[in-house]
Amino acid sequence: MDNSTEERLLLLEDFDREDLKKRVWNESKKLWRIAFPGIIARVTSFGMIVVTQLFMGHISELDLAAFGLQQSILVRFVNGILIGMSSATETLCGQAYGAGHYHMMGVYLQRSWIIDGVTATILLPLFIFTTPILILIGQEENIAIEAGKISLWFIPILYYFVFSLTIQMYLQAQQKNKIVGWFSASSFLLHVLLSWLFVIKLGFGLAGAMSSFIISSWLLVIGEFVYIFGGWCPNTWKGFTKAAFADMLPLIKLSISSGVMICLELWYSSILVVLAGYMKNATIAISAFSICLNINGWEFMVCLGFLGSSCVRISNELGMGNAKAAKFSIKVALGTSIIIGIIFWVLCMVFSREISYMFTSSEEIAESVSRLHVLLAFSMLLNSIYPVLTGVAVGAGVQSMVAYVNLGSYYAIGLPIGILLGYVAHLQVTGLWIGLLSGVVVQTLVLSYLTWKIDWNEQVNKASERLGRFFIETTKGSDESSNLS
């Protein structure tokens, strides 16, 4: 029996001996150690989009509607693909870290850069031909033209996503995401400062808002590169290697299933924004709906912190072969996230109208946002449940199962309900949001049932098989021969 096996057996024995209070306390500490920096990183990263929209709203109503359409449809579409593709990195790095295969984490990171980089390049025409695409699907011409101008500014952001998403998952898996939190918070504060300077003080308008976004985003990525290449990840980063190009097909398959899982979720709300564009007074409808989605999305970023932490905890424990600890971590993560969801539910019910004025000075848009506040509050409450369950799926590597759940709950149930209520029952944006909420309720119930039915001992065996399939033996000689640097 080797030392690593003995260490794992000791950890399993320690877990069984601990009383419940101590177990909850220890798991909560591990959870928050991962979740808090992850929340900071995700909230501030998404916050840069929200801050940009805030400043767009004070440029003109047309810019606000165009940015809302662009961000809610195209950016969410592309971001969904890249987040999904990157979650394969989260699964593999988390399980490799738990199993002690540290050198493989750098290889997985490089493979994800290759796969995501190629994917981003394939998606590039969407940003170049945004205006004709939006006109083709029936959006108002003046909004589509303005969205096309904004779209070209998003091209550098597209490649920023490739690196920022994968690096965050790589660092998070080895519980070094505190540095990501610091970098993200600094980038967010810089973005607020630059946006105020470029838009308000210097009057650069659209160019000023988007330049601020690009500069702040890429400074974040450069800081992460310095951290990784500068020697702060000595066990997991061994330099650029030819091994990153080997065995790509299994990783591509896992990335695609991950991508489909996330995309079906994020595209759902994007389709509803498109439908809002066909309603009477489309500028008001799109603006109000995108504002609500961004408020909901910002709170969702907090919940994604728990998605990330539950993913890391599950994958680490599965990599170590501890099925009991994996199951217990789900309960602690879910309980903690629900408490936070209740707090946001209360805040939204009390301060809904005040929040809308942050995004716009238009009374008509603010009133439209205010009418949705009850539905928005319950969406925030559900946000505290299903992301954790999705994180469980990513940690266990069963993304394809969740993809089918998302397909059925969102597109077979939620979307038809939204269309019927919005257009047939003439409830307009309110009807669309009821449809959105219906799909989320069904998804949450099904994921809860499937999580309860998972055989975690079987998942331990599958994690071991997966890591064995991807494993590359490392020696000093092979490392040196495979390094490109």
Side-chain angles (χ1 to χ4, degrees):
M1 185 182 293
D2 58 28
N3 292 333
S4 62
T5 304
E6 289 179 4
E7 287 174 5
R8 287 176 203 169
L9 289 174
L10 287 171
L11 286 170
L12 294 176
E13 290 173 8
D14 288 342
F15 180 82
D16 289 331
R17 281 198 299 266
E18 287 178 352
D19 62 62
L20 182 59
K21 287 182 180 178
K22 190 175 181 182
R23 257 194 269 176
V24 171
W25 175 249
N26 287 338
E27 181 60 36
S28 294
K29 286 195 294 184
K30 292 175 184 176
L31 180 77
W32 278 104
R33 193 178 299 129
I34 303 166
F36 186 69
I39 289 170
I40 296 294
R42 292 178 188 276
V43 167
T44 53
S45 179
F46 186 79
M48 289 201 288
I49 294 177
V50 176
V51 166
T52 306
Q53 186 175 29
L54 283 171
F55 282 94
M56 288 289 186
H58 293 284
I59 295 171
S60 72
E61 283 188 15
L62 180 61
D63 281 312
L64 176 62
F67 185 86
L69 189 67
Q70 166 74 17
Q71 183 265 324
S72 300
I73 298 176
L74 190 57
V75 175
R76 190 179 289 264
F77 174 84
V78 170
N79 199 27
I81 293 175
L82 294 177
I83 287 176
M85 300 287 278
S86 302
S87 73
T89 310
E90 199 166 20
T91 300
L92 292 171
C93 282
Q95 293 181 359
Y97 186 78
H101 300 170
Y102 302 128
H103 69 284
M104 287 301 300
M105 295 177 68
V107 178
Y108 295 145
L109 178 63
Q110 292 170 62
R111 287 177 182 172
S112 69
W113 286 344
I114 296 167
I115 293 171
D116 285 15
V118 171
T119 303
T121 303
I122 292 171
L123 295 170
L124 196 58
L126 294 176
F127 289 84
I128 298 172
F129 302 107
T130 298
T131 298
I133 290 171
L134 292 178
I135 291 174
L136 183 66
I137 61 175
Q139 297 300 304
E140 287 189 3
E141 187 174 351
N142 61 332
I143 299 176
I145 291 171
E146 193 65 20
K149 295 175 185 176
I150 295 172
S151 186
L152 296 176
W153 287 95
F154 266 106
I155 292 175
I157 302 297
L158 172 65
Y159 289 97
Y160 150 76
F161 286 145
V162 170
F163 296 105
S164 66
L165 293 171
T166 50
I167 290 173
Q168 181 176 339
M169 292 172 181
Y170 160 79
L171 292 173
Q172 184 172 267
Q174 53 191 303
Q175 300 182 25
K176 287 188 175 183
N177 61 333
K178 188 181 292 185
I179 190 67
V180 179
W182 280 110
F183 281 144
S184 298
S186 301
S187 179
F188 175 74
L189 292 174
L190 178 64
H191 179 47
V192 173
L193 177 63
L194 289 178
S195 296
W196 172 80
L197 178 64
F198 291 167
V199 177
I200 305 299
K201 296 299 288 183
L202 300 178
F204 290 164
L206 169 63
M210 294 306 299
S211 295
S212 170
F213 193 4
I214 293 167
I215 293 168
S216 304
S217 300
W218 273 98
L219 284 176
L220 166 62
V221 171
I222 291 168
E224 291 172 338
F225 281 149
V226 171
Y227 183 80
I228 295 171
F229 301 156
W232 282 276
C233 300
N235 295 324
T236 59
W237 180 262
K238 303 294 183 181
F240 291 100
T241 173
K242 294 175 183 176
F245 294 92
D247 297 322
M248 293 288 283
L249 188 59
L251 184 58
I252 290 171
K253 288 180 179 178
L254 183 60
S255 296
I256 290 173
S257 65
S258 301
V260 171
M261 177 192 74
I262 300 292
C263 288
L264 289 173
E265 193 165 307
L266 292 180
W267 293 352
Y268 179 46
S269 54
S270 298
I271 290 171
L272 294 175
V273 173
V274 173
L275 293 175
Y278 301 135
M279 292 181 170
K280 296 175 183 177
N281 204 344
T283 301
I284 300 297
I286 292 172
S287 297
F289 200 68
S290 63
I291 285 172
C292 286
L293 282 177
N294 274 338
I295 295 169
N296 184 56
W298 215 346
E299 187 260 353
F300 185 62
M301 293 301 112
V302 174
C303 301
L304 282 183
F306 287 97
L307 184 155
S309 60
S310 60
C311 172
V312 171
R313 291 294 303 126
I314 295 294
S315 58
N316 283 175
E317 296 297 346
L318 291 179
M320 292 172 64
N322 193 344
K324 286 184 180 178
K327 201 171 180 179
F328 185 73
S329 69
I330 298 170
K331 298 175 183 177
V332 175
L334 201 53
T336 307
S337 184
I338 288 173
I339 291 170
I340 292 173
I342 291 171
I343 294 170
F344 277 107
W345 180 84
V346 172
L347 290 173
C348 186
M349 292 294 284
V350 175
F351 299 108
S352 62
R353 192 167 186 86
E354 288 79 359
I355 293 170
S356 65
Y357 283 114
M358 291 174 58
F359 293 86
T360 181
S361 53
S362 168
E363 284 288 338
E364 198 172 357
I365 295 175
E367 180 61 32
S368 184
V369 171
S370 184
R371 285 197 295 269
L372 293 169
H373 81 280
V374 174
L375 295 172
L376 178 59
F378 280 99
S379 295
M380 288 182 166
L381 185 59
L382 287 171
N383 281 350
S384 66
I385 303 173
Y386 74 88
V388 174
L389 300 177
T390 302
V392 171
V394 174
V398 292
Q399 289 94 324
S400 57
M401 177 184 74
V402 183
Y404 287 114
V405 174
N406 290 351
L407 183 64
S409 57
Y410 289 154
Y411 297 90
I413 297 173
L415 195 58
I417 290 174
I419 293 171
L420 284 172
L421 293 178
Y423 289 94
V424 179
H426 304 294
L427 293 178
Q428 299 291 303
V429 176
T430 302
L432 291 179
W433 200 286
I434 292 172
L436 184 151
L437 201 56
S438 302
V440 173
V441 169
V442 173
Q443 182 214 32
T444 302
L445 292 173
V446 175
L447 284 181
S448 298
Y449 174 75
L450 292 175
T451 302
W452 177 59
K453 293 289 288 182
I454 285 177
D455 184 340
W456 290 101
N457 289 312
E458 182 184 348
Q459 292 305 318
V460 166
N461 295 331
K462 287 183 177 180
S464 179
E465 290 172 10
R466 185 182 296 114
L467 292 173
R469 187 167 65 249
F470 284 113
F471 185 76
I472 299 171
E473 191 67 49
T474 181
T475 63
K476 186 176 180 181
S478 66
D479 278 349
E480 290 173 352
S481 65
S482 65
N483 280 353
L484 298 175
S485 53

Short mmCIF file of all heavy atoms in Angstrom, two decimals, residues 187-218:
data_model
loop_
_atom_site.label_atom_id
_atom_site.label_comp_id
_atom_site.label_asym_id
_atom_site.label_seq_id
_atom_site.Cartn_x
_atom_site.Cartn_y
_atom_site.Cartn_z
N SER A 187 -10.16 44.49 -10.92
CA SER A 187 -10.57 44.77 -12.30
C SER A 187 -11.93 45.48 -12.33
O SER A 187 -12.14 46.42 -13.11
CB SER A 187 -10.64 43.46 -13.09
OG SER A 187 -11.06 43.68 -14.41
N PHE A 188 -12.84 45.05 -11.47
CA PHE A 188 -14.17 45.67 -11.39
C PHE A 188 -14.09 47.13 -10.96
O PHE A 188 -14.72 48.01 -11.55
CB PHE A 188 -15.04 44.87 -10.41
CG PHE A 188 -16.39 45.49 -10.16
CD1 PHE A 188 -17.38 45.42 -11.12
CD2 PHE A 188 -16.66 46.15 -8.97
CE1 PHE A 188 -18.63 45.99 -10.90
CE2 PHE A 188 -17.90 46.71 -8.73
CZ PHE A 188 -18.89 46.63 -9.70
N LEU A 189 -13.30 47.39 -9.92
CA LEU A 189 -13.15 48.77 -9.43
C LEU A 189 -12.52 49.66 -10.50
O LEU A 189 -12.92 50.82 -10.68
CB LEU A 189 -12.30 48.79 -8.16
CG LEU A 189 -12.94 48.14 -6.92
CD1 LEU A 189 -11.95 48.08 -5.76
CD2 LEU A 189 -14.20 48.90 -6.50
N LEU A 190 -11.54 49.11 -11.21
CA LEU A 190 -10.91 49.86 -12.30
C LEU A 190 -11.93 50.15 -13.41
O LEU A 190 -11.95 51.26 -13.97
CB LEU A 190 -9.74 49.06 -12.88
CG LEU A 190 -9.01 49.69 -14.07
CD1 LEU A 190 -8.35 51.01 -13.66
CD2 LEU A 190 -7.97 48.72 -14.65
N HIS A 191 -12.79 49.17 -13.69
CA HIS A 191 -13.81 49.35 -14.73
C HIS A 191 -14.79 50.47 -14.36
O HIS A 191 -15.16 51.29 -15.21
CB HIS A 191 -14.56 48.04 -14.94
CG HIS A 191 -15.64 48.11 -15.97
ND1 HIS A 191 -15.46 48.69 -17.20
CD2 HIS A 191 -16.93 47.70 -15.94
CE1 HIS A 191 -16.58 48.61 -17.91
NE2 HIS A 191 -17.49 48.03 -17.15
N VAL A 192 -15.22 50.50 -13.10
CA VAL A 192 -16.12 51.56 -12.64
C VAL A 192 -15.46 52.93 -12.80
O VAL A 192 -16.06 53.88 -13.31
CB VAL A 192 -16.53 51.34 -11.17
CG1 VAL A 192 -17.33 52.54 -10.65
CG2 VAL A 192 -17.35 50.06 -11.02
N LEU A 193 -14.19 53.02 -12.39
CA LEU A 193 -13.45 54.28 -12.48
C LEU A 193 -13.27 54.72 -13.93
O LEU A 193 -13.53 55.88 -14.28
CB LEU A 193 -12.08 54.13 -11.81
CG LEU A 193 -11.15 55.34 -11.86
CD1 LEU A 193 -11.76 56.53 -11.13
CD2 LEU A 193 -9.78 55.00 -11.26
N LEU A 194 -12.84 53.78 -14.80
CA LEU A 194 -12.62 54.12 -16.21
C LEU A 194 -13.94 54.48 -16.91
O LEU A 194 -13.97 55.39 -17.75
CB LEU A 194 -11.94 52.96 -16.92
CG LEU A 194 -10.48 52.69 -16.57
CD1 LEU A 194 -9.96 51.47 -17.33
CD2 LEU A 194 -9.60 53.90 -16.86
N SER A 195 -15.02 53.76 -16.58
CA SER A 195 -16.32 54.05 -17.19
C SER A 195 -16.78 55.46 -16.82
O SER A 195 -17.27 56.21 -17.68
CB SER A 195 -17.37 53.03 -16.72
OG SER A 195 -17.05 51.73 -17.17
N TRP A 196 -16.64 55.81 -15.56
CA TRP A 196 -17.00 57.16 -15.13
C TRP A 196 -16.15 58.21 -15.84
O TRP A 196 -16.66 59.22 -16.31
CB TRP A 196 -16.81 57.27 -13.61
CG TRP A 196 -16.98 58.67 -13.08
CD1 TRP A 196 -18.15 59.33 -12.82
CD2 TRP A 196 -15.93 59.60 -12.77
NE1 TRP A 196 -17.91 60.60 -12.36
CE2 TRP A 196 -16.54 60.79 -12.32
CE3 TRP A 196 -14.54 59.54 -12.83
CZ2 TRP A 196 -15.80 61.90 -11.93
CZ3 TRP A 196 -13.80 60.64 -12.44
CH2 TRP A 196 -14.43 61.81 -12.00
N LEU A 197 -14.85 57.94 -15.95
CA LEU A 197 -13.94 58.88 -16.59
C LEU A 197 -14.24 59.03 -18.08
O LEU A 197 -14.38 60.15 -18.60
CB LEU A 197 -12.49 58.41 -16.40
CG LEU A 197 -11.39 59.26 -17.05
CD1 LEU A 197 -11.36 60.66 -16.44
CD2 LEU A 197 -10.03 58.58 -16.91
N PHE A 198 -14.37 57.89 -18.79
CA PHE A 198 -14.54 57.91 -20.24
C PHE A 198 -15.94 58.38 -20.67
O PHE A 198 -16.08 59.11 -21.66
CB PHE A 198 -14.29 56.52 -20.84
CG PHE A 198 -12.85 56.07 -20.77
CD1 PHE A 198 -12.50 54.75 -21.01
CD2 PHE A 198 -11.83 56.97 -20.45
CE1 PHE A 198 -11.17 54.33 -20.96
CE2 PHE A 198 -10.51 56.56 -20.39
CZ PHE A 198 -10.18 55.24 -20.64
N VAL A 199 -16.97 57.95 -19.93
CA VAL A 199 -18.35 58.24 -20.35
C VAL A 199 -18.85 59.56 -19.77
O VAL A 199 -19.37 60.41 -20.50
CB VAL A 199 -19.29 57.08 -19.94
CG1 VAL A 199 -20.75 57.42 -20.33
CG2 VAL A 199 -18.87 55.78 -20.60
N ILE A 200 -18.71 59.74 -18.47
CA ILE A 200 -19.29 60.91 -17.81
C ILE A 200 -18.40 62.14 -17.95
O ILE A 200 -18.86 63.21 -18.39
CB ILE A 200 -19.57 60.62 -16.31
CG1 ILE A 200 -20.46 59.38 -16.15
CG2 ILE A 200 -20.19 61.85 -15.64
CD1 ILE A 200 -21.81 59.50 -16.79
N LYS A 201 -17.13 62.01 -17.61
CA LYS A 201 -16.24 63.17 -17.60
C LYS A 201 -15.77 63.57 -19.00
O LYS A 201 -15.75 64.74 -19.35
CB LYS A 201 -15.02 62.90 -16.71
CG LYS A 201 -15.35 62.71 -15.23
CD LYS A 201 -16.01 63.94 -14.61
CE LYS A 201 -15.03 65.08 -14.43
NZ LYS A 201 -15.65 66.24 -13.77
N LEU A 202 -15.35 62.57 -19.80
CA LEU A 202 -14.80 62.87 -21.12
C LEU A 202 -15.83 62.79 -22.24
O LEU A 202 -15.56 63.22 -23.37
CB LEU A 202 -13.61 61.94 -21.41
CG LEU A 202 -12.43 62.03 -20.43
CD1 LEU A 202 -11.35 61.02 -20.79
CD2 LEU A 202 -11.86 63.45 -20.41
N GLY A 203 -17.00 62.20 -21.96
CA GLY A 203 -18.08 62.17 -22.95
C GLY A 203 -17.79 61.31 -24.17
O GLY A 203 -18.23 61.63 -25.27
N PHE A 204 -17.07 60.19 -23.99
CA PHE A 204 -16.74 59.33 -25.13
C PHE A 204 -17.89 58.42 -25.55
O PHE A 204 -17.78 57.72 -26.55
CB PHE A 204 -15.51 58.47 -24.80
CG PHE A 204 -14.22 59.24 -24.72
CD1 PHE A 204 -13.11 58.68 -24.12
CD2 PHE A 204 -14.11 60.52 -25.24
CE1 PHE A 204 -11.91 59.39 -24.03
CE2 PHE A 204 -12.93 61.24 -25.16
CZ PHE A 204 -11.82 60.67 -24.55
N GLY A 205 -18.96 58.37 -24.75
CA GLY A 205 -20.14 57.58 -25.12
C GLY A 205 -19.88 56.10 -25.21
O GLY A 205 -19.21 55.50 -24.36
N LEU A 206 -20.41 55.48 -26.30
CA LEU A 206 -20.29 54.04 -26.52
C LEU A 206 -18.83 53.58 -26.51
O LEU A 206 -18.47 52.59 -25.87
CB LEU A 206 -20.96 53.67 -27.85
CG LEU A 206 -20.71 52.26 -28.40
CD1 LEU A 206 -21.26 51.22 -27.45
CD2 LEU A 206 -21.34 52.11 -29.78
N ALA A 207 -17.98 54.30 -27.23
CA ALA A 207 -16.56 53.93 -27.31
C ALA A 207 -15.91 53.95 -25.92
O ALA A 207 -15.09 53.06 -25.60
CB ALA A 207 -15.82 54.89 -28.24
N GLY A 208 -16.26 54.91 -25.10
CA GLY A 208 -15.69 54.99 -23.76
C GLY A 208 -16.13 53.84 -22.88
O GLY A 208 -15.31 53.25 -22.16
N ALA A 209 -17.42 53.49 -22.92
CA ALA A 209 -17.95 52.39 -22.09
C ALA A 209 -17.31 51.06 -22.46
O ALA A 209 -16.89 50.28 -21.59
CB ALA A 209 -19.46 52.31 -22.22
N MET A 210 -17.21 50.78 -23.77
CA MET A 210 -16.67 49.49 -24.21
C MET A 210 -15.15 49.43 -24.07
O MET A 210 -14.59 48.37 -23.76
CB MET A 210 -17.08 49.23 -25.67
CG MET A 210 -18.58 49.04 -25.86
SD MET A 210 -19.30 47.76 -24.80
CE MET A 210 -18.39 46.31 -25.35
N SER A 211 -14.45 50.56 -24.26
CA SER A 211 -12.99 50.57 -24.05
C SER A 211 -12.65 50.25 -22.61
O SER A 211 -11.71 49.50 -22.32
CB SER A 211 -12.42 51.94 -24.43
OG SER A 211 -12.56 52.20 -25.79
N SER A 212 -13.42 50.81 -21.70
CA SER A 212 -13.22 50.54 -20.28
C SER A 212 -13.40 49.05 -19.99
O SER A 212 -12.62 48.45 -19.23
CB SER A 212 -14.22 51.36 -19.45
OG SER A 212 -14.21 50.95 -18.11
N PHE A 213 -14.42 48.46 -20.59
CA PHE A 213 -14.71 47.03 -20.40
C PHE A 213 -13.53 46.17 -20.88
O PHE A 213 -13.07 45.26 -20.19
CB PHE A 213 -15.98 46.69 -21.18
CG PHE A 213 -16.59 45.36 -20.84
CD1 PHE A 213 -16.09 44.54 -19.84
CD2 PHE A 213 -17.70 44.92 -21.54
CE1 PHE A 213 -16.67 43.33 -19.53
CE2 PHE A 213 -18.30 43.70 -21.25
CZ PHE A 213 -17.77 42.90 -20.25
N ILE A 214 -13.02 46.48 -22.06
CA ILE A 214 -11.92 45.70 -22.65
C ILE A 214 -10.65 45.82 -21.83
O ILE A 214 -9.98 44.82 -21.52
CB ILE A 214 -11.67 46.14 -24.11
CG1 ILE A 214 -12.86 45.78 -24.99
CG2 ILE A 214 -10.40 45.51 -24.66
CD1 ILE A 214 -12.86 46.44 -26.36
N ILE A 215 -10.27 47.05 -21.47
CA ILE A 215 -9.04 47.28 -20.71
C ILE A 215 -9.08 46.55 -19.36
O ILE A 215 -8.14 45.84 -18.99
CB ILE A 215 -8.81 48.79 -20.48
CG1 ILE A 215 -8.52 49.49 -21.81
CG2 ILE A 215 -7.67 49.04 -19.49
CD1 ILE A 215 -8.57 51.01 -21.74
N SER A 216 -10.18 46.70 -18.64
CA SER A 216 -10.31 46.08 -17.31
C SER A 216 -10.28 44.56 -17.40
O SER A 216 -9.66 43.89 -16.57
CB SER A 216 -11.62 46.53 -16.66
OG SER A 216 -11.71 47.93 -16.59
N SER A 217 -10.94 44.00 -18.42
CA SER A 217 -11.01 42.55 -18.58
C SER A 217 -9.64 41.95 -18.86
O SER A 217 -9.23 40.97 -18.22
CB SER A 217 -11.97 42.19 -19.72
OG SER A 217 -13.26 42.66 -19.46
N TRP A 218 -8.91 42.53 -19.79
CA TRP A 218 -7.63 41.96 -20.17
C TRP A 218 -6.54 42.17 -19.13
O TRP A 218 -5.61 41.35 -19.03
CB TRP A 218 -7.20 42.48 -21.55
CG TRP A 218 -7.79 41.62 -22.61
CD1 TRP A 218 -8.92 41.85 -23.34
CD2 TRP A 218 -7.32 40.33 -23.02
NE1 TRP A 218 -9.17 40.80 -24.18
CE2 TRP A 218 -8.20 39.87 -24.02
CE3 TRP A 218 -6.23 39.55 -22.66
CZ2 TRP A 218 -8.03 38.63 -24.64
CZ3 TRP A 218 -6.06 38.32 -23.28
CH2 TRP A 218 -6.94 37.87 -24.26
#
